[in-house]
Structures are given as C-alpha cells and as structure tokens.
Coordinates of all heavy atoms in Angstrom, one line a residue:
M9 N 0.8 -1.1 0.0 CA 0.0 0.1 0.0 C 0.8 1.3 0.0 O 1.9 1.3 0.7 CB -0.8 0.0 1.2 CG -1.9 1.3 1.3 SD -3.1 1.0 2.5 CE -2.6 2.1 3.8
L10 N 0.5 2.2 -0.9 CA 1.3 3.4 -0.9 C 1.2 4.2 0.4 O 0.0 4.5 0.7 CB 0.9 4.3 -2.2 CG 1.6 5.6 -2.2 CD1 3.0 5.5 -2.7 CD2 0.9 6.2 -3.5
K11 N 2.2 4.7 1.0 CA 2.0 5.5 2.1 C 2.1 7.0 1.7 O 2.9 7.4 1.0 CB 3.2 5.2 3.1 CG 3.3 3.8 3.6 CD 2.3 3.6 4.8 CE 2.6 2.3 5.3 NZ 1.7 1.9 6.4
S12 N 1.1 7.7 2.3 CA 1.2 9.2 2.1 C 2.3 9.8 2.7 O 2.8 9.3 3.9 CB -0.2 9.7 2.5 OG -0.1 11.1 2.7
C13 N 2.7 11.1 2.2 CA 3.8 11.8 3.0 C 3.2 12.5 4.2 O 4.0 12.9 5.1 CB 4.4 12.9 2.1 SG 3.1 14.2 1.7
T14 N 2.0 12.3 4.5 CA 1.4 12.6 5.8 C 1.2 11.5 6.8 O 0.8 11.6 7.9 CB 0.0 13.4 5.8 OG1 -0.8 12.7 5.0 CG2 0.2 14.8 5.0
D15 N 1.6 10.2 6.3 CA 1.4 9.1 7.1 C 2.6 8.8 7.9 O 3.7 8.8 7.5 CB 1.3 7.9 6.0 CG 1.1 6.5 6.7 OD1 1.3 6.5 8.1 OD2 0.6 5.5 6.2
P16 N 2.3 8.9 9.3 CA 3.4 8.7 10.2 C 4.2 7.4 10.1 O 5.4 7.4 10.6 CB 2.8 9.0 11.6 CG 1.4 8.5 11.4 CD 1.2 9.0 9.9
E17 N 3.6 6.5 9.6 CA 4.2 5.2 9.3 C 5.1 5.1 8.0 O 5.9 4.1 7.8 CB 3.3 4.1 9.4 CG 2.6 4.0 10.7 CD 1.6 2.9 10.8 OE1 1.7 2.0 9.9 OE2 0.7 2.8 11.7
A18 N 5.1 6.1 7.2 CA 5.9 6.0 6.0 C 7.3 6.0 6.3 O 7.8 6.6 7.3 CB 5.5 7.3 5.1
A19 N 8.1 5.4 5.5 CA 9.6 5.3 5.6 C 10.2 6.6 5.7 O 9.9 7.5 5.0 CB 10.2 4.3 4.6
T20 N 11.2 6.8 6.5 CA 12.0 8.1 6.5 C 13.3 8.0 6.0 O 13.9 6.9 6.0 CB 12.0 8.8 8.0 OG1 12.6 7.8 8.8 CG2 10.5 9.0 8.6
L21 N 13.8 9.0 5.5 CA 15.2 9.0 5.0 C 15.8 10.4 5.3 O 15.1 11.4 5.7 CB 15.2 8.7 3.5 CG 14.3 9.4 2.5 CD1 14.7 10.7 2.2 CD2 14.0 8.4 1.4
T22 N 17.0 10.6 5.0 CA 17.6 12.0 5.2 C 18.0 12.6 3.9 O 18.8 11.8 3.2 CB 18.8 11.8 6.1 OG1 18.3 11.4 7.3 CG2 19.3 13.3 6.3
V23 N 17.8 13.7 3.5 CA 18.2 14.4 2.3 C 19.0 15.6 2.9 O 19.0 16.0 4.1 CB 17.1 15.0 1.3 CG1 16.4 13.7 0.8 CG2 16.1 15.8 2.1
V24 N 19.9 16.3 2.0 CA 20.8 17.4 2.4 C 20.3 18.6 1.7 O 20.3 18.7 0.4 CB 22.1 17.1 2.2 CG1 23.1 18.3 2.7 CG2 22.7 15.8 2.8
V25 N 19.6 19.6 2.4 CA 19.1 20.7 1.7 C 20.0 21.9 2.2 O 20.0 22.3 3.2 CB 17.6 20.9 2.2 CG1 17.2 22.2 1.7 CG2 16.6 19.7 1.9
E26 N 20.8 22.4 1.1 CA 21.7 23.4 1.3 C 22.5 23.3 2.5 O 22.5 24.1 3.4 CB 20.9 24.7 1.4 CG 20.1 25.1 0.1 CD 19.4 26.4 0.0 OE1 19.5 27.2 0.9 OE2 18.7 26.6 -1.2
D27 N 23.1 22.1 2.5 CA 24.0 21.6 3.6 C 23.4 21.2 4.9 O 24.1 21.2 5.9 CB 25.2 22.6 3.8 CG 26.0 22.8 2.4 OD1 26.2 21.8 1.8 OD2 26.4 24.0 2.2
R28 N 22.2 21.3 4.9 CA 21.5 20.9 6.2 C 20.8 19.5 6.1 O 20.0 19.3 5.2 CB 20.4 21.9 6.8 CG 21.0 23.2 7.0 CD 20.0 24.3 7.0 NE 18.6 23.9 7.6 CZ 17.5 24.7 7.4 NH1 17.6 25.9 6.8 NH2 16.4 24.3 7.9
P29 N 21.1 18.6 7.0 CA 20.3 17.3 6.9 C 18.9 17.5 7.3 O 18.7 18.1 8.2 CB 21.1 16.4 7.9 CG 21.8 17.3 8.8 CD 22.0 18.6 8.0
I30 N 18.0 17.0 6.4 CA 16.5 17.2 6.6 C 15.9 15.9 6.6 O 16.1 15.1 5.6 CB 15.9 18.2 5.7 CG1 16.6 19.5 5.8 CG2 14.4 18.2 5.8 CD1 16.4 20.2 7.0
A31 N 15.1 15.4 7.6 CA 14.2 14.2 7.4 C 13.3 14.4 6.4 O 12.5 15.3 6.3 CB 13.7 13.9 8.9
A32 N 13.0 13.3 5.6 CA 11.9 13.3 4.6 C 11.3 11.9 4.7 O 11.8 11.0 5.1 CB 12.5 13.6 3.2
Q33 N 10.2 11.9 3.9 CA 9.6 10.6 3.8 C 9.7 10.1 2.4 O 9.8 10.8 1.5 CB 7.9 10.8 4.2 CG 7.8 11.0 5.8 CD 6.3 11.0 6.0 OE1 5.5 11.6 5.5 NE2 6.1 10.5 7.3
A34 N 9.7 8.8 2.3 CA 10.3 8.1 1.1 C 9.3 8.6 -0.2 O 9.8 8.4 -1.2 CB 10.2 6.6 1.3
D35 N 8.0 8.9 0.1 CA 7.3 9.2 -1.0 C 7.1 10.7 -1.2 O 6.3 11.2 -2.1 CB 5.8 8.6 -0.8 CG 5.3 9.1 0.4 OD1 5.9 9.7 1.3 OD2 4.0 8.6 0.7
E36 N 7.9 11.6 -0.6 CA 8.0 12.9 -0.8 C 8.7 13.3 -2.1 O 9.5 12.6 -2.6 CB 8.7 13.8 0.4 CG 7.7 14.0 1.5 CD 8.4 15.0 2.5 OE1 9.2 14.5 3.3 OE2 8.1 16.2 2.4
T37 N 8.3 14.6 -2.5 CA 9.1 15.1 -3.8 C 10.1 16.2 -3.3 O 10.0 16.8 -2.2 CB 8.2 15.6 -4.7 OG1 7.5 16.8 -4.2 CG2 7.1 14.7 -5.2
V38 N 11.0 16.5 -4.1 CA 11.9 17.6 -3.9 C 11.1 19.0 -3.5 O 11.3 19.7 -2.5 CB 12.8 17.9 -5.1 CG1 13.5 19.2 -4.9 CG2 13.7 16.7 -5.2
A39 N 10.0 19.2 -4.3 CA 9.2 20.4 -4.0 C 8.7 20.4 -2.7 O 8.6 21.5 -2.0 CB 8.2 20.5 -5.1
S40 N 8.1 19.2 -2.3 CA 7.5 19.2 -0.9 C 8.3 19.4 0.2 O 8.2 20.1 1.3 CB 6.6 18.0 -0.7 OG 7.5 16.8 -0.5
V41 N 9.7 19.0 0.1 CA 10.7 19.2 1.0 C 11.1 20.7 1.0 O 11.1 21.3 2.1 CB 11.9 18.3 0.8 CG1 13.0 18.6 1.7 CG2 11.5 16.8 1.0
L42 N 11.4 21.2 -0.1 CA 11.7 22.8 -0.2 C 10.6 23.6 0.3 O 10.9 24.5 1.1 CB 12.1 23.1 -1.6 CG 13.4 22.6 -2.0 CD1 13.6 22.9 -3.5 CD2 14.5 23.3 -1.2
L43 N 9.4 23.3 0.1 CA 8.3 24.0 0.7 C 8.2 23.9 2.2 O 8.0 24.9 2.9 CB 6.9 23.5 0.1 CG 6.6 24.1 -1.3 CD1 5.4 23.3 -1.9 CD2 6.4 25.6 -1.4
R44 N 8.5 22.7 2.7 CA 8.3 22.5 4.2 C 9.5 23.1 4.8 O 9.4 23.8 5.9 CB 8.5 21.0 4.4 CG 8.4 20.6 5.9 CD 7.9 19.2 6.0 NE 8.6 18.2 5.2 CZ 9.9 17.7 5.5 NH1 10.5 18.1 6.5 NH2 10.3 16.9 4.8
V45 N 10.7 23.3 4.1 CA 11.8 24.0 4.8 C 11.9 25.4 4.6 O 12.1 26.2 5.6 CB 13.1 23.3 4.2 CG1 14.4 24.0 4.8 CG2 13.2 21.9 4.6
F46 N 11.4 25.9 3.4 CA 11.6 27.4 3.2 C 10.3 28.1 2.9 O 10.3 29.3 2.8 CB 12.6 27.6 1.9 CG 13.9 27.0 2.2 CD1 14.4 25.9 1.4 CD2 14.8 27.7 2.9 CE1 15.6 25.5 1.5 CE2 16.0 27.2 3.1 CZ 16.6 26.2 2.4
G47 N 9.1 27.4 2.9 CA 8.0 27.9 2.7 C 7.9 28.7 1.4 O 8.4 28.0 0.2
T48 N 7.4 29.9 1.3 CA 7.4 30.5 0.1 C 8.7 31.1 -0.5 O 8.8 31.6 -1.6 CB 6.3 31.7 0.0 OG1 6.8 32.6 1.1 CG2 5.0 31.2 0.3
D49 N 9.8 31.1 0.3 CA 11.1 31.5 -0.1 C 11.7 30.3 -0.8 O 12.7 29.8 -0.5 CB 11.9 31.8 1.1 CG 13.3 32.5 0.6 OD1 13.3 33.0 -0.6 OD2 14.3 32.4 1.5
Y50 N 11.0 29.9 -1.8 CA 11.5 28.6 -2.7 C 12.5 28.7 -3.8 O 13.4 28.1 -3.8 CB 10.1 28.1 -3.4 CG 10.3 26.6 -4.0 CD1 10.0 25.5 -3.2 CD2 10.7 26.7 -5.3 CE1 10.0 24.3 -3.8 CE2 10.9 25.4 -5.8 CZ 10.6 24.3 -5.2 OH 10.6 23.1 -5.8
R51 N 12.3 29.8 -4.5 CA 13.3 30.2 -5.6 C 13.1 31.6 -6.1 O 12.1 32.1 -5.6 CB 13.2 29.1 -6.8 CG 12.1 29.4 -7.7 CD 12.1 28.4 -8.9 NE 11.0 28.6 -9.8 CZ 11.1 29.6 -10.9 NH1 12.2 30.1 -11.2 NH2 10.0 29.6 -11.6
T52 N 14.0 32.1 -6.9 CA 13.8 33.3 -7.5 C 13.8 33.2 -9.0 O 14.5 32.3 -9.6 CB 14.8 34.4 -7.1 OG1 16.2 34.0 -7.5 CG2 14.7 34.7 -5.6
H53 N 13.0 34.2 -9.8 CA 12.9 34.0 -11.2 C 14.4 34.3 -11.8 O 15.2 35.0 -11.3 CB 12.1 35.2 -11.7 CG 11.6 35.0 -13.1 ND1 12.2 35.6 -14.2 CD2 10.6 34.4 -13.6 CE1 11.8 35.2 -15.3 NE2 10.7 34.5 -15.0
A54 N 14.6 33.6 -13.0 CA 15.9 33.6 -13.6 C 16.3 35.0 -14.2 O 17.5 35.4 -14.2 CB 15.9 32.5 -14.8
V55 N 15.3 35.8 -14.5 CA 15.6 37.0 -15.2 C 15.3 38.1 -14.2 O 16.3 39.0 -14.0 CB 14.7 37.2 -16.4 CG1 14.9 38.6 -17.1 CG2 14.9 36.2 -17.4
G56 N 14.2 38.3 -13.5 CA 13.9 39.5 -12.8 C 14.2 39.3 -11.3 O 14.2 40.3 -10.5
G57 N 14.5 38.1 -10.8 CA 14.8 37.9 -9.5 C 13.5 37.9 -8.5 O 13.6 37.7 -7.2
E58 N 12.3 37.9 -9.2 CA 11.1 37.8 -8.3 C 10.9 36.4 -7.5 O 11.4 35.5 -8.1 CB 10.0 38.2 -9.1 CG 9.8 39.4 -9.8 CD 10.5 39.3 -11.3 OE1 11.1 38.3 -11.6 OE2 10.5 40.2 -12.0
P59 N 10.4 36.5 -6.3 CA 10.2 35.2 -5.7 C 9.2 34.3 -6.5 O 8.1 34.9 -7.0 CB 9.6 35.6 -4.3 CG 9.0 37.0 -4.5 CD 9.8 37.6 -5.7
R60 N 9.5 33.0 -6.5 CA 8.6 32.1 -7.2 C 8.5 30.9 -6.4 O 9.4 30.6 -5.4 CB 9.2 31.6 -8.6 CG 9.7 32.7 -9.5 CD 8.6 33.7 -9.9 NE 7.6 33.1 -10.7 CZ 6.6 33.7 -11.3 NH1 6.3 35.0 -11.1 NH2 5.8 33.1 -12.1
A61 N 7.4 30.2 -6.5 CA 7.1 29.0 -5.7 C 6.2 28.0 -6.7 O 5.6 28.5 -7.5 CB 6.4 29.3 -4.5
P62 N 6.3 26.8 -6.2 CA 5.4 25.7 -6.9 C 3.9 26.1 -7.0 O 3.4 26.7 -6.1 CB 5.6 24.5 -6.2 CG 6.9 24.6 -5.4 CD 7.0 26.1 -5.2
Y63 N 3.4 25.9 -8.3 CA 2.0 26.3 -8.4 C 1.1 25.1 -8.6 O 0.2 24.7 -7.8 CB 1.8 27.3 -9.5 CG 0.5 27.7 -9.8 CD1 -0.2 28.5 -8.9 CD2 -0.2 27.3 -10.9 CE1 -1.5 29.0 -9.1 CE2 -1.5 27.8 -11.3 CZ -2.1 28.4 -10.3 OH -3.5 28.9 -10.5
C64 N 1.4 24.2 -9.7 CA 0.6 23.1 -10.1 C 0.8 21.8 -9.4 O 0.0 21.0 -9.2 CB 0.5 22.9 -11.5 SG 2.2 22.2 -12.2
L65 N 2.1 21.6 -9.0 CA 2.6 20.4 -8.4 C 2.3 19.2 -9.2 O 2.1 18.0 -8.6 CB 1.9 20.3 -6.9 CG 2.5 21.2 -5.9 CD1 1.8 21.3 -4.7 CD2 3.9 21.1 -5.9
M66 N 2.2 19.4 -10.6 CA 1.9 18.2 -11.4 C 2.6 18.3 -12.7 O 2.2 17.7 -13.7 CB 0.5 17.9 -11.6 CG -0.2 19.1 -12.3 SD -2.0 18.6 -12.4 CE -2.6 20.0 -13.4
G67 N 3.8 19.0 -12.7 CA 4.6 19.0 -13.8 C 4.2 19.8 -15.1 O 4.8 19.7 -16.1
V68 N 3.4 20.8 -14.9 CA 2.9 21.7 -15.9 C 3.5 23.1 -15.9 O 4.0 23.7 -16.9 CB 1.3 21.9 -15.9 CG1 0.9 22.7 -17.0 CG2 0.7 20.4 -16.0
C69 N 3.7 23.8 -14.8 CA 3.9 25.1 -14.7 C 5.5 25.5 -14.6 O 5.8 26.7 -14.9 CB 3.2 25.7 -13.5 SG 4.0 25.4 -12.0
F70 N 6.4 24.5 -14.3 CA 7.7 24.7 -14.2 C 8.1 25.9 -13.2 O 9.2 26.4 -13.2 CB 8.4 25.2 -15.6 CG 8.4 23.9 -16.5 CD1 7.3 23.5 -17.1 CD2 9.6 23.3 -16.8 CE1 7.4 22.4 -17.8 CE2 9.8 22.2 -17.5 CZ 8.6 21.7 -18.1
E71 N 7.3 26.1 -12.2 CA 7.6 27.1 -11.1 C 8.3 26.5 -10.0 O 8.8 27.2 -9.1 CB 6.3 27.8 -10.5 CG 5.6 28.5 -11.6 CD 6.3 29.9 -11.9 OE1 7.4 30.2 -11.4 OE2 5.8 30.6 -12.8
C72 N 8.6 25.1 -10.0 CA 9.2 24.4 -8.9 C 10.6 24.1 -9.1 O 11.1 23.2 -8.5 CB 8.4 23.1 -8.7 SG 8.3 22.1 -10.2
L73 N 11.2 24.8 -10.1 CA 12.7 24.4 -10.6 C 13.6 24.4 -9.3 O 13.4 25.3 -8.5 CB 13.1 25.4 -11.6 CG 12.4 25.3 -12.9 CD1 13.0 26.3 -13.9 CD2 12.4 23.8 -13.4
A74 N 14.5 23.4 -9.2 CA 15.4 23.3 -8.0 C 16.7 22.6 -8.6 O 16.7 22.2 -9.7 CB 14.7 22.5 -6.9
E75 N 17.7 22.7 -7.8 CA 19.0 22.0 -8.1 C 18.9 20.7 -7.2 O 18.8 20.7 -6.0 CB 20.0 22.9 -7.7 CG 21.4 22.4 -8.2 CD 22.6 23.3 -7.9 OE1 22.7 24.5 -8.4 OE2 23.4 22.9 -7.0
V76 N 19.0 19.7 -8.0 CA 19.1 18.3 -7.4 C 20.5 17.5 -7.7 O 20.8 17.4 -8.9 CB 17.9 17.5 -7.9 CG1 18.0 16.1 -7.4 CG2 16.6 18.2 -7.5
D77 N 21.3 17.3 -6.6 CA 22.5 16.6 -6.9 C 23.4 17.3 -7.9 O 24.0 16.7 -8.8 CB 22.4 15.2 -7.4 CG 21.8 14.4 -6.1 OD1 22.1 14.6 -5.0 OD2 21.1 13.3 -6.5
G78 N 23.4 18.6 -7.8 CA 24.2 19.7 -8.6 C 23.6 19.8 -10.0 O 24.2 20.5 -10.9
V79 N 22.4 19.3 -10.3 CA 21.8 19.4 -11.6 C 20.7 20.5 -11.4 O 19.7 20.3 -10.8 CB 21.3 18.2 -12.2 CG1 20.7 18.5 -13.6 CG2 22.3 17.1 -12.2
P80 N 20.8 21.8 -12.2 CA 19.7 22.6 -12.1 C 18.6 22.5 -12.9 O 18.6 21.5 -13.8 CB 20.5 24.0 -12.6 CG 21.6 23.4 -13.6 CD 22.0 22.2 -12.9
N81 N 17.6 23.3 -12.8 CA 16.4 23.2 -13.6 C 15.6 21.8 -13.5 O 15.1 21.4 -14.6 CB 16.8 23.4 -15.1 CG 17.2 24.9 -15.3 OD1 16.6 25.8 -14.6 ND2 18.2 25.0 -16.3
R82 N 15.7 21.1 -12.4 CA 14.8 20.0 -12.3 C 13.5 20.4 -11.7 O 13.4 21.3 -10.8 CB 15.4 19.0 -11.2 CG 16.9 18.5 -11.6 CD 17.0 17.5 -12.7 NE 15.9 16.4 -12.7 CZ 16.2 15.4 -12.0 NH1 17.3 15.1 -11.6 NH2 15.1 14.4 -12.1
Q83 N 12.5 19.8 -12.2 CA 11.2 20.0 -11.7 C 10.8 19.3 -10.4 O 10.7 18.1 -10.4 CB 10.1 19.5 -12.7 CG 9.9 20.5 -13.9 CD 8.9 20.0 -14.9 OE1 9.2 19.2 -15.8 NE2 7.7 20.4 -14.8
G84 N 11.0 20.2 -9.3 CA 10.9 19.5 -8.0 C 9.7 18.7 -7.7 O 9.8 17.8 -7.0
C85 N 8.6 19.1 -8.3 CA 7.4 18.4 -8.1 C 7.4 17.0 -8.7 O 6.4 16.1 -8.3 CB 6.1 19.2 -8.5 SG 5.9 19.3 -10.3
L86 N 8.2 16.6 -9.7 CA 8.2 15.5 -10.3 C 9.4 14.5 -9.8 O 9.5 13.4 -10.3 CB 8.4 15.6 -11.7 CG 7.2 16.4 -12.4 CD1 7.6 16.4 -14.0 CD2 5.9 15.8 -12.2
V87 N 10.2 15.0 -8.9 CA 11.5 14.3 -8.6 C 11.2 13.7 -7.2 O 11.1 14.5 -6.2 CB 12.7 15.1 -8.5 CG1 13.9 14.4 -8.1 CG2 12.9 15.7 -9.9
P88 N 11.1 12.4 -6.9 CA 11.0 11.8 -5.6 C 12.4 11.9 -4.8 O 13.4 11.8 -5.6 CB 10.6 10.4 -5.8 CG 10.9 10.0 -7.3 CD 11.0 11.4 -8.1
V89 N 12.2 12.1 -3.6 CA 13.6 12.2 -2.8 C 14.2 10.8 -2.7 O 13.4 9.7 -2.9 CB 13.3 12.8 -1.4 CG1 12.9 14.2 -1.4 CG2 12.3 12.0 -0.6
R90 N 15.4 10.8 -2.4 CA 16.0 9.5 -2.1 C 17.0 9.7 -1.0 O 17.6 10.9 -1.0 CB 16.7 8.8 -3.4 CG 17.7 9.5 -4.0 CD 18.4 8.7 -5.1 NE 19.2 9.6 -5.8 CZ 20.3 10.4 -5.4 NH1 20.6 10.3 -4.1 NH2 20.9 11.2 -6.1
E91 N 17.5 8.6 -0.3 CA 18.6 8.9 0.7 C 19.8 9.6 0.2 O 20.3 9.3 -0.9 CB 19.0 7.5 1.3 CG 20.1 7.5 2.4 CD 19.4 8.2 3.6 OE1 18.2 8.1 4.0 OE2 20.2 8.8 4.3
G92 N 20.3 10.6 1.1 CA 21.4 11.4 0.7 C 21.2 12.3 -0.4 O 22.3 13.1 -0.8
M93 N 20.1 12.6 -1.0 CA 20.0 13.5 -2.1 C 20.4 14.9 -1.7 O 20.1 15.3 -0.6 CB 18.6 13.5 -2.7 CG 18.2 14.5 -3.8 SD 16.4 14.3 -4.2 CE 16.6 13.0 -5.5
R94 N 21.2 15.7 -2.5 CA 21.4 17.0 -2.2 C 20.5 18.0 -3.1 O 20.4 17.9 -4.2 CB 23.0 17.4 -2.6 CG 23.9 16.3 -1.9 CD 25.3 16.7 -2.1 NE 25.6 18.0 -1.4 CZ 25.9 18.1 0.1 NH1 25.9 17.1 0.6 NH2 26.2 19.2 0.6
I95 N 19.8 18.9 -2.3 CA 18.8 19.7 -2.9 C 19.1 21.1 -2.5 O 19.7 21.5 -1.5 CB 17.5 19.3 -2.2 CG1 17.2 17.8 -2.5 CG2 16.4 20.4 -2.8 CD1 15.9 17.3 -1.7
A96 N 18.9 22.0 -3.5 CA 19.1 23.5 -3.2 C 18.1 24.3 -3.9 O 17.7 23.8 -5.0 CB 20.6 24.0 -3.7
R97 N 17.8 25.4 -3.4 CA 16.9 26.3 -4.0 C 17.7 26.9 -5.2 O 18.9 27.1 -5.3 CB 16.5 27.4 -3.2 CG 15.5 27.0 -2.1 CD 15.2 28.1 -1.0 NE 16.5 28.4 -0.3 CZ 16.8 29.3 0.6 NH1 15.7 30.2 0.8 NH2 17.8 29.5 1.3
Q98 N 16.9 27.2 -6.3 CA 17.4 27.7 -7.5 C 17.2 29.3 -7.4 O 16.1 29.8 -7.4 CB 16.8 27.2 -8.8 CG 17.6 27.4 -10.1 CD 17.2 26.5 -11.1 OE1 17.5 25.4 -11.0 NE2 16.7 27.0 -12.2
R99 N 18.3 30.1 -7.4 CA 18.3 31.6 -7.1 C 18.7 32.2 -8.4 O 19.9 31.9 -8.8 CB 19.0 31.9 -6.0 CG 18.9 31.1 -4.8 CD 17.4 31.2 -4.1 NE 17.3 31.9 -2.9 CZ 16.3 32.3 -2.4 NH1 15.0 32.1 -3.0 NH2 16.3 32.9 -1.2
G100 N 17.9 32.8 -9.1 CA 18.2 33.5 -10.3 C 18.5 32.5 -11.5 O 18.0 31.4 -11.4
P101 N 19.3 33.0 -12.4 CA 19.7 32.0 -13.5 C 20.4 30.7 -12.9 O 21.1 30.9 -12.0 CB 20.6 32.9 -14.4 CG 20.7 34.1 -13.9 CD 20.0 34.1 -12.5
A102 N 20.0 29.6 -13.6 CA 20.7 28.3 -13.3 C 22.2 28.3 -13.5 O 22.6 29.2 -14.5 CB 20.1 27.2 -13.8
R103 N 23.1 27.9 -12.7 CA 24.4 27.8 -13.0 C 24.7 27.3 -14.5 O 23.8 26.4 -14.8 CB 25.3 27.0 -12.0 CG 25.3 27.5 -10.7 CD 26.2 26.7 -9.7 NE 25.5 25.4 -9.5 CZ 26.1 24.3 -9.4 NH1 27.5 24.3 -9.4 NH2 25.6 23.1 -9.2
G104 N 25.7 27.9 -15.2 CA 26.0 27.5 -16.5 C 25.0 28.1 -17.5 O 25.2 27.8 -18.7
Q105 N 24.2 29.0 -17.1 CA 23.2 29.6 -18.1 C 23.7 31.0 -18.4 O 24.3 31.7 -17.6 CB 21.8 29.5 -17.6 CG 21.3 28.2 -17.7 CD 19.8 28.3 -17.4 OE1 19.1 29.1 -16.8 NE2 19.0 27.3 -17.9
Ligands
FES208 S1 4.9 23.0 -9.6 FE1 4.3 23.2 -11.5 S2 5.7 21.9 -12.8 FE2 6.2 21.6 -10.6

C-alpha cells in the first residue's frame, strides 16, 4: 500500500538541503521538502529575481525548479527524494546559463 507523505508510518530518510540534513518521507518530492523547509522562499525568477514557488505540483507550470544533486532546472514536483540526495533552491539563473 502506498504511504502518504502525511502518514506517520511512511519510511523516513535523510536528504541534504543546502548543507542541512533534513528528514523526509520516502514518497515526498523535492518540491514538498523545499516548501516544508523554506515556505514561499522557494526560488527566484531567472531574469527578474522575483520570488517564485510551486503552483501546479503536477509537472505543468515549471515554477518548482530546483537544483538536485548539482543539476539545475529539475522540476521539483516530479522528483521523488532518495537517501542522501542534495537539494538546493534555484536562485536567479541556473548555473551555466
Ligand atoms: S509545480 Fe508546476 S511543474 Fe512543478
């Protein structure tokens, strides 16, 4: 049976969010972890620097971009967490752009 991220019996793991170890549940996404840790201070727009945050949480809007294991522009709402994953907010343009 699939355990919800609000299920206290769901398996837990540890991800590293901007150098901080954070407990997460096995069925959480990168976006849900970043929202839990930073709230609406999720990321900034690549051009104007305005604050942005996930909107659709189903892979349509691209407002959830994050850096995952050093790779920028990952859609956080579509990436499930895994043990030891390194996650960072995307501030301004992605590195290498
Ligand atoms: S929140 Fe819309 S694509 Fe991820």
Side-chain angles (χ1 to χ4, degrees):
M9 180 166 105
L10 181 64
K11 300 276 187 182
S12 157
C13 66
T14 57
D15 185 339
E17 295 181 18
T20 60
L21 47 80
T22 301
V23 295
V24 180
V25 178
E26 299 184 2
D27 298 324
R28 293 169 31 198
I30 300 292
Q33 293 186 318
D35 57 353
E36 276 193 275
T37 64
V38 166
S40 70
V41 170
L42 284 174
L43 283 169
R44 185 158 45 81
V45 173
F46 298 112
T48 57
D49 187 22
Y50 186 97
R51 73 174 183 99
T52 59
H53 193 271
V55 177
E58 300 89 356
R60 310 300 292 181
Y63 181 69
C64 72
L65 294 173
M66 59 183 192
V68 176
C69 73
F70 286 75
E71 294 292 357
C72 59
L73 297 179
E75 187 174 300
V76 178
D77 289 332
V79 178
N81 294 325
R82 300 291 312 273
Q83 284 178 275
C85 71
L86 299 180
V87 179
V89 294
R90 63 169 169 62
E91 180 66 36
M93 177 180 273
R94 300 189 70 83
I95 302 168
R97 290 173 289 179
Q98 196 159 299
R99 310 301 242 173
R103 287 184 296 145
Q105 290 188 333

